[in-house]
Amino acid sequence: MVDYHAANQAYQYGPSSGGGNGAGGGGSMGDYMAQEDDWDRDLLLDPAWEKQQRKTFTAWCNSHLRKAGTQIENIDEDFRDGLKLMLLLEVISGERLPKPERGKMRVHKINNVNKALDFIASKGVKLVSIGAEEIVDGNAKMTLGMIWTIILRFAIQDISVEETSAKEGLLLWCQRKTAPYKNVNVQNFHISWKDGLAFNALIHRHRPELIEYDKLRKDDPVTNLNNAFEVAEKYLDIPKMLDAEDIVGTLRPDEKAIMTYVSCFYHAFSGAQKAETAANRICKVLAVNQENEHLMEDYERLASDLLEWIRRTIPWLEDRVPQKTIQEMQQKLEDFRDYRRVHKPPKVQEKCQLEINFNTLQTKLRLSNRPAFMPSEGRMVSDINNGWQHLEQAEKGYEEWLLNEIRRLERLDHLAEKFRQKASIHEAWTDGKEAMLKQRDYETATLSDIKALIRKHEAFESDLAAHQDRVEQIAAIAQELNELDYYDSHNVNTRCQKICDQWDNLGSLTHSRREALEKTEKQLETIDQLHLEYAKRAAPFNNWMESAMEDLQDMFIVHTIEEIEGLISAHDQFKSTLPDADREREAILAIHKEAQRIAESNHIKLSGSNPYTTVTPQIINSKWEKVQQLVPKRDHALLEEQSKQQSNEHLRRQFASQANMVGPWIQTKMEEIGRISIEMNGTLEDQLSHLKQYERSIVDYKPSLDLLEQQHQLIQEALIFDNKHTNYTMEHIRVGWEQLLTTIARTINEVENQILTRDAKGISQEQMQEFRASFNHFDKKQTGSMDSDDFRALLISTGYSLGDAEFNRIMSVVDPNHSGLVTFQAFIDFMSRETTDTDTADQVIASFKVLAGDKNFITAEELRRELPPDQAEYCIARMAPYQGPDAAPGALDYKSFSTALYGESDL
């Protein structure tokens, strides 16, 4: 810009956006002047009016010239050279005028004034009888007329309320703003303002904290006027353009002076209104962003907590270190049941709620034109689902391992007890046998004694051979315990080895004793046949009784009624052999009695007991009595086990009956929810109400599931591992129940999101029903989604004319993951964007520009002044420093911030 003060001082300035309404078009100024027609150019101004105009116009000019660092003192003198006049026009229009002439001659001044008058005329203003010569000559009347023309064009002409003219528009604005105030009745721009109340009312309406209106009195106009003028100058940056005494002392104040002053109030407050509107728009956008960020933070926190719980739980479920006893393993099973009943259900609800929150957040982001939320790495919904799937796999494997391990330990305990019982019986039998075989009694025995010793040894060998089977059984049981990894295998192996070593030693000793007896046998002649026969028959009978006692005391383990009935049948068959055994016992005892009878008849004195056997009649009778006692005990044990298996069968049938009701019920509910989600019956609120009724019915059904859990626990506590009466396991029921709860919650959330979309986008119920009917028609498989061909047909049916490029663009919007499927939610989101408008980044930028006073940047001070504290600090923390060439200290870039709100660039 050219220096207009070369003769006085040098300064630089640029176009300002703060003065007037710019250089816009508008109607003909000549027309407006013709309507006013109260400027009598042939008559002198009223002295009082001229004084008011001089003061007012001078103050008005200086309010703009100060932006260029200068001012005027005398309005008809300081514009004579045309320099400050051109400067004034540049400031209030924001445009450059032709370069002024530097000379001080009259012709230079006239040329400069003409340049100014030409610029005014170029703005559509018709100048009547105002020439450059009059201005250069200091004609006060013409100078004031010219300034009034400038004020009308640049300060008043663009004021329009309800399509009224400029003057009428300004008057209507004043009337509306002051309507609520008592003693104020604005009808014109002269006497309506004399008491000063109208000025105070305008200020109080916009800045109530500056004026105590109720304390003003209508009969004290000077005080009222001075109060308004001082407040306007101090707080509103409106210079004092009038004197209270002049207004009060004049019958009819000058209308042009009043209009000029009042127009300054209009521009001051209309700018504040624009700033308030802009601030409200920004606050609304920021509130949406803050709420979305809060939802994102909640999602991240909940996702982290759930993933951390899964991370901690999986190693516990994958810990497959077996315990040594059934009691320890059963405690692990009880801990697992506690996890299933207490710890897992809340996490199932958290997982479902997390998916609902994620879907709601994405819907809100779509509705506010924000980019979709992308959780941080490792916290995606898919990550949670993968973790959950891993958890359930580990859970299933852990339960199977627990039950298998309990079966193994039960089998081990049974085998270990059987081993101990057989080992104890064998060890009791072998007690003293080594010492007996090592005796050298044959060296001093008689012939009959030797023969007796030989027979006795033969009986022992027979007995030894009979025990061979038991030793093999003991070794086989020990081997099986080793193969099943019995925890006390070391002691079992040690005991088994000791028995086997002793058995081998007995065999060796037996062979040695036989050789010694046979060596002297030739010297022996006779043998007592009766005793020998007794010994031969008594030994196997004695072994049979020992085996019978062992079998009657043998432990058993069964899992079904058929197995216990098989044992009962075998036991009944054994009892049927007892009469034959009793007859054999009587026959053996008869042999013993016959030997005694012959000895007594022939007066033979027997030397002690039967030399051929240690099995005396007393032993036979004692063991027979023991067998007789064990039989009813065995009966009782078998009947108890039969009762237990009948109880187990009852538990199986009880569980199966309940499971066969719960399982189909869950499947039916899943199918009904699927039908509701794709059928169009009533309003969305009706569908939501219907779904919530289903949800309540599902929740009310929970006691049936709890009853099934109780029955399942009884089955597990009874160690029942199979159930032929149902195809449903508790695991199947649990998974189905969790899927049912998740499905109903997701379906309700989908309808709620549709309601949210409908209300936010202004979609009518009829439109929503039309969208649903169209979607269902083309959803051929009734799955709630359609492929691209069906979707293209749907779009064509709604009136779209689609080329491949346009259809591919639409598919990228409704199917951003390229799954090839379009859901109903994606469809209504697309249709709502096509039929409704929302705020945009450009609108937010325009709002920030208003708050910034039309600058390309904004300062922290301006943000704190115009926005609520929390939203101001939100912006300050996220705005990058402004890097433009016109940057000021502390300047912030609101444009990049606004575009980032809508995902068009990164913060």
Side-chain angles (χ1 to χ4, degrees):
M1 183 176 292
V2 177
D3 185 354
Y4 286 91
H5 295 266
N8 300 316
Q9 57 181 347
Y11 61 89
Q12 296 293 326
Y13 66 93
S16 170
S17 62
N21 291 327
S28 170
M29 195 64 198
D31 295 341
Y32 181 75
M33 291 298 295
Q35 293 173 8
E36 291 293 311
D37 201 23
D38 58 356
W39 189 278
D40 189 347
R41 301 182 183 282
D42 297 326
L43 300 174
L44 292 174
L45 285 171
D46 180 278
W49 289 1
E50 182 177 347
K51 179 182 179 182
Q52 291 175 11
Q53 287 185 17
R54 278 180 176 276
K55 181 176 181 60
T56 301
F57 291 0
T58 299
W60 184 87
C61 290
N62 283 334
S63 70
H64 294 289
L65 286 172
R66 69 183 179 182
K67 298 172 185 176
T70 187
Q71 63 179 6
I72 61 172
E73 300 293 339
N74 189 321
I75 197 166
D76 51 1
E77 288 294 331
D78 291 351
F79 286 141
R80 291 178 62 183
D81 61 2
L83 294 177
K84 288 188 177 181
L85 179 59
M86 295 178 72
L87 178 60
L88 174 66
L89 290 171
E90 284 200 349
V91 171
I92 64 177
S93 70
E95 299 182 26
R96 288 184 178 274
L97 272 67
K99 182 177 181 182
E101 298 183 10
R102 294 180 176 274
K104 296 183 179 181
M105 298 176 62
R106 177 178 174 83
V107 66
H108 297 141
K109 295 178 181 180
I110 290 174
N111 289 339
N112 287 338
V113 173
N114 274 327
K115 290 177 181 179
L117 296 179
D118 290 343
F119 179 78
I120 295 172
S122 71
K123 298 304 178 184
V125 179
K126 185 177 181 182
L127 298 170
V128 180
S129 302
I130 298 178
E133 291 81 358
E134 287 120 328
I135 304 302
V136 173
D137 291 340
N139 186 317
K141 175 182 162 182
M142 292 302 171
T143 301
L144 291 174
M146 177 189 66
I147 296 303
W148 173 242
T149 301
I150 293 172
I151 292 171
L152 281 174
R153 172 60 185 84
F154 292 102
I156 299 177
Q157 178 180 331
D158 288 342
I159 298 174
S160 178
V161 180
E162 295 186 355
E163 301 181 358
T164 61
S165 69
K167 178 179 177 181
E168 291 170 347
L170 183 59
L171 183 62
L172 180 56
W173 179 80
C174 294
Q175 290 171 340
R176 287 184 173 177
K177 295 298 182 180
T178 60
Y181 293 87
K182 64 182 180 178
N183 297 326
V184 177
N185 184 17
V186 177
Q187 298 297 327
N188 50 54
F189 285 109
H190 37 79
I191 61 175
S192 295
W193 303 83
K194 283 190 67 174
D195 59 10
L197 291 178
F199 287 111
N200 283 279
L202 276 181
I203 298 173
H204 186 270
R205 181 65 181 273
H206 294 90
R207 297 286 299 276
E209 76 278 8
L210 300 180
I211 298 289
E212 294 181 315
Y213 187 82
D214 292 339
K215 294 184 177 180
L216 301 177
R217 302 198 324 269
K218 187 173 180 64
D219 59 358
D220 190 4
V222 174
T223 300
N224 296 341
L225 289 165
N226 283 329
N227 181 66
F229 297 163
E230 290 169 3
V231 169
E233 185 170 40
K234 183 176 181 180
Y235 296 103
L236 305 178
D237 199 26
I238 299 174
K240 186 177 180 182
M241 298 182 181
L242 300 169
D243 286 324
E245 292 75 12
D246 292 342
I247 294 175
V248 174
T250 303
L251 182 62
R252 183 177 183 271
D254 181 58
E255 187 177 51
K256 297 179 179 61
I258 299 294
M259 282 183 65
T260 300
Y261 191 35
V262 171
S263 71
C264 293
F265 284 88
Y266 173 85
H267 290 298
F269 292 135
S270 64
Q273 182 66 33
K274 291 179 182 178
E276 182 180 352
T277 301
N280 288 337
R281 177 186 291 275
I282 291 170
C283 288
K284 178 182 177 183
V285 172
L286 294 179
V288 170
N289 248 55
Q290 288 173 307
E291 181 185 0
N292 291 340
E293 287 185 0
H294 178 68
L295 291 175
M296 293 175 190
E297 291 169 359
D298 283 350
Y299 174 87
E300 293 281 345
R301 176 177 54 79
L302 289 174
S304 296
D305 292 346
L306 184 57
L307 288 169
E308 176 61 20
W309 178 82
I310 293 173
R311 186 191 66 77
R312 293 195 313 268
T313 305
I314 287 177
W316 175 68
L317 293 172
E318 291 179 342
D319 179 15
R320 307 292 163 81
V321 178
Q323 301 300 312
K324 294 182 178 180
T325 65
I326 289 181
Q327 290 74 21
E328 291 173 319
M329 290 305 297
Q330 285 177 333
Q331 182 59 49
K332 276 184 170 288
L333 182 60
E334 185 59 35
D335 292 342
F336 179 72
R337 290 179 184 143
D338 189 63
Y339 153 80
R340 270 272 180 76
R341 291 192 302 263
V342 179
H343 300 292
K344 186 183 178 186
K347 298 303 177 183
V348 173
Q349 295 177 3
E350 286 180 18
K351 177 177 177 290
C352 179
Q353 189 61 47
L354 193 65
E355 293 180 2
I356 290 173
N357 291 351
F358 181 83
N359 293 335
T360 301
L361 172 59
Q362 298 293 34
T363 298
K364 288 187 175 183
L365 291 172
R366 286 196 301 272
L367 295 179
S368 57
N369 282 344
R370 303 308 195 272
F373 169 55
M374 182 63 65
S376 57
E377 185 175 357
R379 294 185 178 91
M380 300 283 289
V381 172
S382 59
D383 296 321
I384 295 172
N385 288 334
N386 290 338
W388 192 264
Q389 185 178 6
H390 187 187
L391 174 76
E392 293 188 329
Q393 290 173 349
E395 183 178 299
K396 182 178 180 182
Y398 187 69
E399 185 176 34
E400 292 175 352
W401 173 76
L402 282 174
L403 296 176
N404 289 334
E405 190 62 23
I406 288 174
R407 292 192 193 101
R408 185 183 71 84
L409 290 176
E410 184 185 46
R411 171 69 175 161
L412 283 175
D413 280 359
H414 171 70
L415 288 175
E417 183 60 28
K418 193 169 185 177
F419 172 85
R420 285 190 288 270
Q421 188 181 73
K422 288 185 176 295
S424 296
I425 292 173
H426 179 76
E427 287 166 346
W429 178 83
T430 58
D431 184 39
K433 294 294 190 293
E434 290 183 350
M436 180 195 73
L437 291 173
K438 290 178 180 178
Q439 289 179 359
R440 304 181 66 85
D441 51 350
Y442 53 85
E443 293 180 350
T444 58
T446 63
L447 180 60
S448 60
D449 293 333
I450 290 300
K451 288 185 177 290
L453 288 175
I454 291 174
R455 300 297 181 267
K456 182 179 180 180
H457 189 71
E458 289 175 349
F460 172 76
E461 285 181 326
S462 176
D463 196 7
L464 185 68
H467 282 78
Q468 176 70 33
D469 182 62
R470 182 184 292 119
V471 174
E472 291 174 356
Q473 288 179 7
I474 291 172
I477 293 172
Q479 179 63 29
E480 188 171 358
L481 287 171
N482 279 308
E483 291 172 355
L484 293 176
D485 195 24
Y486 181 54
Y487 78 94
D488 199 23
S489 293
H490 174 72
N491 290 331
V492 169
N493 292 336
T494 300
R495 191 172 182 180
C496 181
Q497 187 62 47
K498 182 178 178 182
I499 289 172
C500 291
D501 292 344
Q502 186 185 43
W503 183 257
D504 292 339
N505 191 36
L506 285 175
S508 176
L509 290 173
T510 299
H511 180 72
S512 297
R513 184 171 177 82
R514 168 175 280 280
E515 288 181 345
L517 290 172
E518 288 178 348
K519 188 175 180 180
T520 58
E521 186 182 16
K522 292 180 180 180
Q523 303 172 11
L524 304 176
E525 295 180 349
T526 192
I527 188 168
D528 190 344
Q529 294 297 324
L530 284 174
H531 281 179
L532 182 59
E533 183 180 358
Y534 172 90
K536 288 183 177 180
R537 294 183 67 174
F541 185 71
N542 180 63
N543 287 333
W544 176 86
M545 287 192 297
E546 286 182 348
S547 297
M549 287 189 293
E550 183 177 346
D551 291 340
L552 289 171
Q553 297 178 85
D554 190 19
M555 295 179 65
F556 56 84
I557 178 170
V558 296
H559 295 96
T560 65
I561 289 180
E562 290 77 11
E563 291 177 354
I564 189 61
E565 288 179 348
L567 290 178
I568 291 174
S569 175
H571 183 61
D572 290 339
Q573 185 176 359
F574 166 75
K575 289 193 293 184
S576 67
T577 64
L578 289 178
D580 290 339
D582 190 35
R583 284 190 290 272
E584 175 66 11
R585 180 182 67 87
E586 293 291 344
I588 293 172
L589 293 177
I591 294 173
H592 177 73
K593 290 178 180 179
E594 180 65 16
Q596 288 183 329
R597 187 190 65 78
I598 294 174
E600 291 174 356
S601 298
N602 295 285
H603 305 286
I604 298 173
K605 188 176 182 179
L606 298 176
S607 57
S609 59
N610 192 326
Y612 303 119
T613 181
T614 59
V615 180
T616 65
Q618 292 78 13
I619 291 175
I620 290 175
N621 287 330
S622 174
K623 289 184 178 180
W624 178 254
E625 183 179 353
K626 180 68 173 177
V627 169
Q628 295 293 93
Q629 293 172 353
L630 289 175
V631 167
K633 290 182 179 179
R634 184 71 167 185
D635 287 335
H636 180 69
L638 291 172
L639 289 176
E640 276 190 344
E641 183 63 29
Q642 185 182 39
S643 176
K644 175 184 173 183
Q645 291 304 321
Q646 289 172 344
S647 174
N648 288 353
E649 182 67 12
H650 172 71
L651 291 176
R652 288 188 183 96
R653 293 181 181 275
Q654 179 178 264
F655 175 84
S657 175
Q658 183 73 3
N660 289 337
M661 288 191 299
V662 173
W665 183 89
I666 291 175
Q667 182 62 33
T668 299
K669 289 297 179 184
M670 288 287 288
E671 294 171 356
E672 290 174 351
I673 293 169
R675 286 197 298 271
I676 293 172
S677 65
I678 63 174
E679 290 176 354
M680 181 180 62
N681 294 322
T683 65
L684 288 176
E685 283 75 7
D686 293 337
Q687 295 177 37
L688 183 61
S689 175
H690 196 187
L691 285 169
K692 288 188 175 180
Q693 289 177 2
Y694 263 86
E695 186 179 38
R696 284 192 294 272
S697 71
I698 290 170
V699 173
D700 292 342
Y701 198 73
K702 182 63 163 58
S704 297
L705 194 74
D706 294 338
L707 175 61
L708 195 63
E709 284 282 7
Q710 294 170 5
Q711 294 169 349
H712 180 253
Q713 182 170 344
L714 292 176
I715 281 181
Q716 285 196 329
E717 289 172 352
L719 298 177
I720 300 171
F721 304 111
D722 58 343
N723 194 339
K724 65 183 180 181
H725 305 297
T726 181
N727 292 325
Y728 293 101
T729 67
M730 196 63 229
E731 180 65 26
H732 294 153
I733 298 294
R734 289 191 195 108
V735 171
W737 178 256
E738 291 173 2
Q739 288 177 347
L740 180 60
L741 290 177
T742 301
T743 299
I744 187 64
R746 285 175 178 166
T747 306
I748 288 174
N749 180 243
E750 288 174 1
V751 176
E752 288 173 339
N753 283 341
Q754 291 174 25
I755 292 174
L756 183 63
T757 301
R758 180 198 67 191
D759 294 342
K761 298 298 186 178
I763 301 173
S764 67
Q765 183 62 39
E766 291 73 16
Q767 284 179 300
M768 186 63 75
Q769 289 179 340
E770 183 180 344
F771 290 160
R772 170 55 81 181
S774 299
F775 188 89
N776 286 348
H777 177 75
F778 288 95
D779 181 11
K780 306 297 185 183
K781 299 178 181 178
Q782 297 295 297
T783 61
S785 61
M786 63 181 71
D787 58 29
S788 58
D789 291 337
D790 290 339
F791 182 59
R792 181 192 285 268
L794 171 58
L795 291 179
I796 293 173
S797 73
T798 59
Y800 279 85
S801 178
L802 296 173
D804 288 341
E806 176 63 11
F807 179 70
N808 290 336
R809 181 193 69 80
I810 294 175
M811 282 299 295
S812 69
V813 173
V814 299
D815 182 24
N817 296 325
H818 304 293
S819 65
L821 297 176
V822 180
T823 65
F824 180 66
Q825 184 65 44
F827 171 61
I828 61 173
D829 284 344
F830 168 73
M831 295 303 294
S832 64
R833 281 195 297 272
E834 293 291 306
T835 57
T836 58
D837 293 326
T838 57
D839 59 277
T840 65
D842 289 340
Q843 291 173 328
V844 176
I845 291 172
S847 298
F848 272 117
K849 191 168 186 178
V850 171
L851 298 187
D854 209 37
K855 300 190 298 297
N856 290 323
F857 59 85
I858 195 167
T859 65
E861 180 182 356
E862 289 170 332
L863 287 170
R864 292 189 176 105
R865 183 179 68 237
E866 300 292 348
L867 299 179
D870 61 329
Q871 294 186 331
E873 297 306 323
Y874 178 85
C875 293
I876 293 169
R878 288 162 173 76
M879 283 187 182
Y882 177 69
Q883 304 294 338
D886 54 338
L892 299 174
D893 188 350
Y894 61 77
K895 291 184 179 179
S896 61
F897 171 75
S898 299
T899 55
L901 289 177
Y902 292 85
E904 297 175 19
S905 65
D906 294 330
L907 285 175

